[in-house]
Amino acid sequence: MSEGVASLGADAELSMLREMAASFAAGELLRGREEADRFPFSPLPLATLEKAHGLGLFSLTLPEELGGGGRGTEALALLLEAIAEIDASLGGVIFVNALAQEICLRSGAREALKGLVEAESAAQALIAFPAWDDPRFTAPTVCAVERDGGWSLEGKAEYVALSGLARRALIPAVTSKGGISFYLVGLRGEGVAVSDPVVSLGLRACPCHDLQLSGAEAAPVGEEARGKEAYEEAYIRMLPAAAALSAGILRGSLREALDYVRQRRQGGRLIADWSEVRMILAGMAAADQEAEMLVRGACRAVEEGGPGWRLAVRAASLRAMDLACEATTDGIQLLGGNGYMVEYHQEKRFRDSRQVQALMGTQDMKRQEYARLLLAEESPEWGRDVC
Amino acid sequence: MRKSGRGSLIGEYPAFDDIYCGLRALRRMPKAVIGETEKAVELARRFNREVVRPRALELDLRKQKDPDYLPWDLVREANRWGFYTMFIPRIFGGKGVNFPALSCVLEELASGCTGIANLVGVHYLGVATLCASWNIRLMNRVMRDTVAGYRSGEPCLISLAVTEPDAGTDVEEVELVRKARVSCHARRVKGGYVVNGRKIFISNGHLSTWHMLIAYEDLKRPQSTTVMLAVRNGTPGFSFGRQEHKMGQKACPASELIFEDCFVPDENVCVSAEQSAGLLGGAVEDAIMQVIDYVVSGSRAGVGAFGTGVARGAFEEALHYAASTEVEGKPLINHEWAQCLLAEMYKNVAVSRLTYMETNYANSLYGMFKVLNYRPVFYLFKYLPRPVIDRVIRPLLDLDAVTRLFRKIYFDWQPPPFTRRTSGWASLSKFAATDAGVRNCQLALELMGRAGLRHDGGVEKHLRDSKLLQIYEGTNQLNRLNLFKCLIAPSVPGAVVFDE
Ligand SMILES: Cc1cc2nc3c(=O)[nH]c(=O)nc-3n(C[C@H](O)[C@H](O)[C@H](O)COP(=O)(O)OP(=O)(O)OC[C@H]3O[C@@H](n4cnc5c(N)ncnc54)[C@H](O)[C@@H]3O)c2cc1C
C-alpha cells in the first residue's frame, strides 16, 4: 500500500519522527493493546507511559524554552497518526495532555508548564483535562471562588481524562465575573474526590474519571473570564491532531482488512475476488487517502494561516473524523464474524473512532459552529456567538 | 423486463403480489391476531421495565469483567415469564401466540438490550429451523421439552448450529455451499449418524439444551448431502468449546460446539439427505435451499426487529438527552436542527418496523406461518381445549403420514414465487433495519458526545450491540444479493447470482 500521496512533501525530520513513532508503536503497543483495552478490568500499561514520557512524547509541542520539542501541529499529527494505527489509546493520552498544555500556553500561563520534561514520572508530567467537552458551548459545572487571595473550586467536573493518572488537572470554571476561566488543581489535594474510572466506548487506556471538587485549592491559568478565547486558539490548533488520530485508526483498519480479504476464502475463492468486497475495500482505501490529505491540509492551514484557514481546519478535521467512523464500520464488516471479535482488533478501531470523533465537543455542535463561522465570513453578525 | 407471475398488467414487474404483501394478508388475517400481539407487546414492555432495563448495563459490565460468565439468572427469568414457550404452537404444548408477534416482542426487548433480546430470539431461530424440516414427530418431542422446562423452571432452549470456521457466508446459500470448505461430517451408520466437526459463533450455545445441527454426509458435495440433526446436551461425543470475546451483545454467548464421534440416532434426524431427495420431485438442492429459505424468512424478520429495537433504543436515549440538556442557554430539544435529527431517527425506527411487518405478512400468506395463520386452523388451535389436544391431536403428531402431509404442503405444493417473496422481503428487512440500527446509534452519539460515550449512558452499548446485526443471519452483503436473487433477478432474463 502506498504511504499516501499527501506525505510526499514531508521533510526528513518529520519522516524520522513518523518512523520513530511507528517503531515505538510496533514495539511497545502491539503486544499489549488487547489487555490494555480491558481497562478498568485490567491494569493500565504504566510502563509504556513511562517510556513515552522518556521519549518526550508528552512534550513534543511544548516550546523549546520549556524543554519541549517545540514542534507544531503537523509533527504532533504525524506522531498521533502513526501511534493510532496500532493503538489509539496512547494517542489519546498524548492528545489530552497536549491540549491541556496548549490551553495553558494560549492563556499565557507558561509558568504552569515548567519542569514537565524533567518530571520523574509520567504522572507528574501529564495534565488531566475534560477533553470531551467544549466549554464554549457546554457551561462548566464548576465554580471558582476567590478566597484569602487564592482560588478554590466547587462542583462536579465530569469525564476528566487522565485524572486517575496525572497529579494535576486543568479545569474550566465560572467565576462571579461570568465567562470561563481555567484553573489547575492538584488531584491529590484536599477537597478533590476522584471517582472510579468511567467505562467508555473507546480509548480505554486513556481513562476518564469524574471529579467532585469541594473547596479544592486551585491556581488560575491566564486571565479571569478570558478562557473562551484561549480555548478557541488551542482548539483550532488541536483539531487536526484529533483528526490525525482518526486517520491513524482508519489506516489500521484498512491494513487489517486488506490482510484478511487476501487470506479468507468463501464461495470457492478469496473473498477479495468478490466484486462487492472490492467495492467496500475501494471505499475504505479512498477514505484512507482522503483522511490523510485532509489532515495534512488542516495542519498546513494551521501553520500557514491565510484567509479562511480556521474554516478549512474545521471542515477538514470534521470530515476526517466522520470518514474514520464510516470506514471502521466497513473494517469490521469485511472480516465478517471475526471482525466482531476482540482478537482481530477491528472492533476496537470501530469504538476508538467514535471516541475520537467526540473529542472537544459533540460532532453536531462542531458542525453548528462551523456553519456559523462560514456565514460570518460573509457578514460578521452571523458569527457573534463564536469567539 | 419479463412479466413475473400472472398474465395481466398487475403481474408485470414489479408484480402487485410482490410489493403489496400486507394488503392481501390483512384480508385473511384472523382478527384475534391484533389482541394477541397487543398482549405480547405489553408483556415485553413489562419485562423490559422490570428485568431488562434494570439489569442490562450491569450484565454487560459483568461480562466485560468475566468474559466466561453465563447469564443463567436472566434466562431463568425469561423462562419464568414464559418467553420460551410463548410462540410454540398449542398443539406442541406452547402458548401458541401467533408467530409474527415474536418480531414485535423482539423489537421491544432490543430497545432495552439487544443481547437480552437475542437470548429470546435465538431460541426461536432454533424453533424455526426445527419447524422448517416439518418432521412433526421430532418437533413435538423437542418443543415439549421446552414446555417441560417452563413448568419445571429449568429452561430448555434450542440453538442453531450452521457456521463453521471456514464456512460462514457459504452455508447461507446452496449456490455457495457447493464450493464451501465445510468440515462437519455426518457419517451414515446403522440407526443414525456419527458426527465429527466443529461449529463456531453459535448464539446461546452454552445456554441451550437442544442444538439444531447442520452437517454434511459428503464434505465434497455438501449442497446435496446436507443433513439436519437435533443434538441434546449430554449426548456422548458432544461438548462445548470456548465462548467468543465479542464487542457487544454480551448477554448472549457465542459458543463453539465440538462433535467427536458423536452418535445421533435416527429418531433425532430432522431431515436426512435421503429424505431431501424425496422432496420436490428429487431436486435435492432445491429442497435444501427451501429449508434454508423457510428458516431465514422467519429469522431475518426477527433480526430486522432487533435492528428496529436498537434504533429505537438509541432514539429514546437521544430524545431524553435533548429534553434534559441545555445548549447555548436553550433546551437542546428546542433547537430546530435537533428536532430534525430526532425526526430522522424516528423515521428510521418506523420504516424499519414496516419492513419486518411486511415480511411477516408475506410469511403469513406465502411462507412458514401460512397454515397456522389460516383462519379456521388459527381458531381451532387457539380454542381447542388442552385435554382434547392431548388426547386427540397429540397421538396424531407421531404418525409418519402427518409429517408427509406437512412436507407435501410446504415443499411440493409451495410455488417458487411464494418462497422468493418471503425470502426476498426477509433479506430486505434484515439489511434495511440493521443498517438503520447502526445509523441511529451513530446519530445519537454525534448528538450526545461524551454523555453517549459513557457506559452508564447506555448509547455506547447500543452501538456495540447494533454492529453484530449487520453480520449474523447472513452478512448484509449476502442479504442484498439474496434480495436481488429473489425479487429482481427473476424479471431479468439471464440474471444470475454468485457467478461473476
Ligand atoms: C456473535 C455471532 C453470533 C452468531 N450466531 C450464530 C448462530 O447462532 N448460528 C450460526 O450458525 N451462526 C451464527 N453466526 C455466524 C454468522 O451467521 C456468520 O458470521 C455470518 O454468516 C458471516 O460469516 P463469516 O463470519 O464466516 O464471514 P465470511 O463469510 O468470511 O465473510 C467475510 C466478508 O466477506 C463477504 N463475503 C463473503 N462471501 C461473499 C460473497 N459471495 N459475495 C460478497 N461478499 C462476500 C462478507 O459479506 C463479509 O463482508 C454468528 C456470528 C456471530 C459473529
Side-chain angles (χ1 to χ4, degrees):
Chain A
M1 190 172 56
S2 99
E3 277 303 309
V5 284
S7 64
L8 293 176
D11 63 28
E13 225 178 306
L14 288 178
S15 315
M16 269 170 61
L17 175 72
R18 193 221 302 261
E19 260 168 48
M20 183 276 286
S23 79
F24 175 77
E28 271 303 317
L29 304 177
L30 198 62
R31 215 162 0 106
R33 62 184 165 176
E34 201 177 307
E35 190 62 13
D37 191 58
R38 280 182 42 75
F39 183 81
F41 306 112
S42 273
L44 280 175
L46 295 176
T48 303
L49 291 178
E50 293 307 334
K51 282 190 189 153
H53 173 48
L55 279 173
L57 302 189
F58 299 143
S59 52
L60 188 73
T61 49
L62 212 55
E64 280 170 292
E65 60 269 29
L66 290 171
R71 307 308 308 262
T73 302
E74 188 169 10
L76 180 62
L78 274 180
L79 171 74
L80 293 179
E81 207 174 290
I83 285 181
E85 192 179 324
I86 305 289
D87 178 5
S89 280
L90 179 66
V93 175
I94 296 170
F95 176 88
V96 170
N97 181 60
L99 173 61
Q101 289 178 355
E102 195 66 33
I103 294 170
C104 292
L105 287 173
R106 299 288 150 190
S107 305
R110 289 181 167 238
E111 285 295 303
L113 303 176
K114 275 192 176 154
L116 293 184
V117 178
E118 306 81 41
E120 272 179 21
S121 64
Q124 285 168 326
L126 292 170
I127 303 175
F129 184 67
W132 274 271
D133 280 337
D134 184 333
R136 295 169 306 165
F137 302 118
T138 318
T141 47
V142 174
C143 302
V145 188
E146 202 167 9
R147 209 178 43 190
D148 308 329
W151 290 87
S152 68
L153 302 183
E154 278 300 330
K156 187 172 183 188
E158 281 191 33
Y159 214 60
V160 182
L162 308 184
S163 52
L165 275 172
R167 297 279 160 83
R168 299 184 300 167
L170 181 69
I171 302 291
V174 280
T175 68
S176 55
K177 262 194 182 176
I180 294 162
S181 314
F182 284 102
Y183 294 86
L184 273 169
V185 62
L187 289 166
R188 309 249 169 112
E190 266 184 42
V192 181
V194 181
S195 76
D196 287 339
V198 178
V199 177
S200 296
L201 175 63
L203 300 187
R204 288 188 154 185
C206 170
C208 297
H209 299 248
D210 295 330
L211 299 184
Q212 189 63 52
L213 302 164
S214 325
E217 218 175 274
V221 168
E223 261 181 68
E224 190 181 346
R226 302 285 297 169
K228 262 193 179 184
E229 290 79 352
Y231 185 82
E232 159 66 18
E233 292 307 314
Y235 170 85
I236 198 70
R237 282 166 180 77
M238 291 301 292
L239 254 187
L245 284 171
S246 297
I249 294 169
L250 196 170
R251 172 149 306 173
S253 184
L254 172 64
R255 280 192 201 272
E256 197 91 51
L258 272 172
D259 281 352
Y260 193 83
V261 301
R262 287 186 186 125
Q263 289 169 29
R264 175 76 174 170
R265 297 183 76 85
Q266 288 295 281
R269 55 169 93 168
L270 290 174
I271 59 171
D273 287 333
W274 289 109
S275 58
E276 178 60 7
V277 166
R278 290 183 179 195
M279 290 300 264
I280 300 173
L281 263 184
M284 281 184 80
D288 170 58
Q289 290 292 309
E290 195 184 338
E292 184 172 339
M293 285 190 253
L294 289 166
V295 172
R296 294 292 162 270
C299 291
R300 215 167 304 130
V302 167
E303 273 158 27
E304 292 168 9
W309 72 274
R310 285 170 192 266
L311 275 176
V313 169
R314 282 178 165 87
S317 306
L318 262 65
R319 179 80 189 123
M321 289 166 158
D322 290 348
L323 284 170
C325 292
E326 290 161 19
T328 52
T329 310
D330 288 339
I332 291 184
Q333 197 68 17
L334 284 177
L335 272 69
N338 283 334
Y340 198 66
M341 305 306 166
V342 168
E343 300 92 299
Y344 287 81
H345 310 289
Q346 293 294 68
E347 63 86 31
K348 178 179 184 310
R349 295 182 172 109
F350 173 88
R351 293 184 285 107
D352 286 349
S353 62
R354 274 75 184 172
Q355 191 82 21
V356 169
Q357 189 193 31
L359 274 168
M360 300 193 289
T362 71
Q363 192 73 341
D364 284 341
M365 287 312 296
K366 289 185 201 129
R367 290 183 185 125
Q368 281 291 320
E369 190 213 15
Y370 173 71
R372 219 175 293 153
L373 275 173
L374 186 70
L375 293 163
E377 282 267 286
E378 309 286 320
S379 37
E381 70 270 21
W382 291 105
R384 61 183 174 269
D385 302 339
V386 183
C387 44
Chain B
M1 295 268 165
R2 188 195 285 167
K3 285 178 188 175
S4 82
R6 295 136 147 247
S8 68
L9 276 179
I10 224 64
E12 274 190 14
Y13 184 83
F16 187 90
D17 286 347
D18 281 350
I19 59 178
Y20 297 115
C21 302
L23 207 56
R24 289 210 189 279
L26 281 174
R27 194 170 50 88
R28 292 187 43 187
M29 192 175 82
K31 255 207 182 118
V33 161
I34 301 173
E36 267 186 10
T37 307
E38 217 170 25
K39 274 199 194 131
V41 167
E42 194 185 8
L43 186 79
R45 286 190 174 179
R46 197 138 36 84
F47 187 66
N48 250 7
R49 186 178 303 172
E50 292 176 27
V51 180
V52 177
R53 288 182 200 268
R55 295 203 208 167
L57 289 177
E58 191 191 310
L59 175 57
D60 183 74
L61 269 192
R62 165 119 205 220
K63 207 59 193 176
Q64 292 192 32
K65 204 188 236 168
D66 173 10
D68 292 330
Y69 173 75
L70 287 169
W72 277 111
D73 51 341
L74 237 155
V75 175
R76 287 207 179 88
E77 199 66 25
N79 187 47
R80 198 171 67 77
W81 282 63
F83 284 107
Y84 295 122
T85 50
M86 191 179 228
F87 301 99
I88 289 182
R90 286 182 75 235
I91 49 164
F92 301 123
K95 295 197 191 73
V97 174
N98 70 89
F99 225 86
L102 168 65
S103 302
C104 307
V105 165
L106 294 180
E107 178 194 322
E108 291 300 327
L109 300 184
S111 72
C113 172
T114 317
I116 295 177
N118 216 27
L119 285 179
V120 173
V122 165
H123 165 68
Y124 287 103
L125 172 64
V127 169
T129 308
L130 173 66
C131 293
S133 70
W134 305 107
N135 182 332
I136 306 292
R137 185 191 293 125
L138 193 54
M139 283 160 70
N140 189 33
R141 192 150 61 85
V142 173
M143 287 195 258
R144 280 187 189 273
D145 237 10
T146 297
V147 174
Y150 166 65
R151 298 212 177 103
S152 69
E154 275 313 310
C156 173
L157 275 58
I158 307 171
S159 82
L160 168 61
V162 187
T163 305
E164 303 186 3
D166 290 325
T169 298
D170 279 357
V171 289
E172 300 270 337
E173 163 65 53
V174 160
E175 276 307 311
L176 294 173
V177 90
R178 182 192 305 281
K179 296 171 191 157
R181 294 207 234 172
V182 290
S183 59
C184 198
H185 185 228
R187 182 162 49 89
R188 197 73 175 112
V189 294
K190 192 158 177 267
Y193 283 97
V194 171
V195 183
N196 278 289
R198 220 151 54 85
K199 294 285 173 180
I200 58 163
F201 298 164
I202 307 309
S203 298
N204 277 357
H206 281 80
L207 297 169
S208 297
T209 306
W210 282 98
H211 310 276
M212 295 302 122
L213 171 68
I214 304 296
Y216 308 93
E217 279 187 27
D218 182 348
L219 298 179
K220 294 213 172 70
R221 287 188 309 117
Q223 75 281 8
S224 50
T225 63
T226 305
V227 297
M228 192 202 297
L229 310 169
V231 181
R232 203 178 196 285
N233 286 354
T235 305
F238 165 56
S239 59
F240 295 113
R242 70 189 289 261
Q243 265 194 66
E244 296 292 342
H245 297 174
K246 300 182 272 128
M247 170 164 72
Q249 293 207 21
K250 289 181 183 282
C252 178
S255 315
E256 181 186 23
L257 310 187
I258 301 167
F259 302 89
E260 290 163 315
D261 287 330
C262 174
F263 175 71
V264 181
D266 277 337
E267 60 181 20
N268 287 3
V269 176
C270 303
V271 62
S272 64
E274 200 183 321
Q275 287 166 357
S276 300
L279 302 168
L280 293 179
V284 188
E285 292 174 31
D286 290 349
I288 290 167
M289 194 62 223
Q290 189 118 319
V291 172
I292 296 177
D293 277 323
Y294 275 126
V295 176
V296 296
S297 297
S299 65
R300 286 176 182 162
V303 179
F306 288 154
T308 310
V310 79
R312 185 172 130 195
F315 162 75
E316 285 167 4
E317 297 293 353
L319 180 63
H320 174 73
Y321 175 81
S324 57
T325 306
E326 275 212 354
V327 169
E328 297 171 305
K330 201 161 66 173
L332 181 55
I333 192 108
N334 289 336
H335 289 249
E336 187 185 76
W337 65 267
Q339 295 172 349
C340 286
L341 176 76
L342 289 165
E344 176 70 15
M345 293 176 79
Y346 185 94
K347 176 269 289 177
N348 285 341
V349 177
V351 170
S352 301
R353 187 180 296 121
L354 293 176
T355 67
Y356 78 66
M357 289 301 288
E358 190 67 1
T359 306
N360 280 332
Y361 286 135
N363 281 327
S364 302
L365 203 54
Y366 309 112
M368 200 170 210
F369 318 146
K370 67 181 179 188
V371 171
L372 284 175
N373 266 30
Y374 179 52
R375 224 177 268 147
V377 177
F378 177 89
Y379 285 114
L380 182 73
F381 284 180
K382 188 171 172 63
Y383 294 115
L384 211 59
R386 283 245 178 246
V388 179
I389 290 180
D390 286 343
R391 251 178 278 131
V392 183
I393 307 277
R394 207 171 155 178
L396 295 178
L397 302 177
D398 281 340
L399 300 178
D400 284 345
V402 176
T403 291
R404 274 204 301 274
L405 172 68
F406 272 88
R407 285 184 173 169
K408 200 92 210 129
I409 297 171
Y410 276 98
F411 288 93
D412 298 337
W413 298 343
Q414 173 75 355
F418 281 22
T419 307
R420 287 203 293 266
R421 215 166 277 155
T422 60
S423 185
W425 270 99
S427 280
L428 184 152
S429 178
K430 198 274 177 180
F431 73 77
T434 60
D435 286 353
V438 175
R439 178 86 189 122
N440 264 17
C441 294
Q442 180 68 26
L443 290 175
L445 272 188
E446 290 180 11
L447 177 78
M448 295 167 68
R450 76 156 152 83
L453 298 173
R454 300 176 66 115
H455 184 269
D456 51 18
V459 170
E460 68 89 30
K461 178 181 165 305
H462 281 311
L463 177 77
R464 285 185 286 114
D465 289 354
S466 68
K467 181 64 195 126
L468 177 56
L469 304 176
Q470 296 179 320
I471 300 168
Y472 64 16
E473 283 307 293
T475 64
N476 282 8
Q477 288 67 44
L478 183 270
N479 276 285
R480 284 187 172 84
L481 289 164
N482 190 52
L483 183 153
F484 178 85
K485 181 179 104 174
C486 294
L487 296 178
I488 302 173
S491 65
V492 186
V496 283
V497 279
F498 306 117
D499 191 30
E500 57 179 17

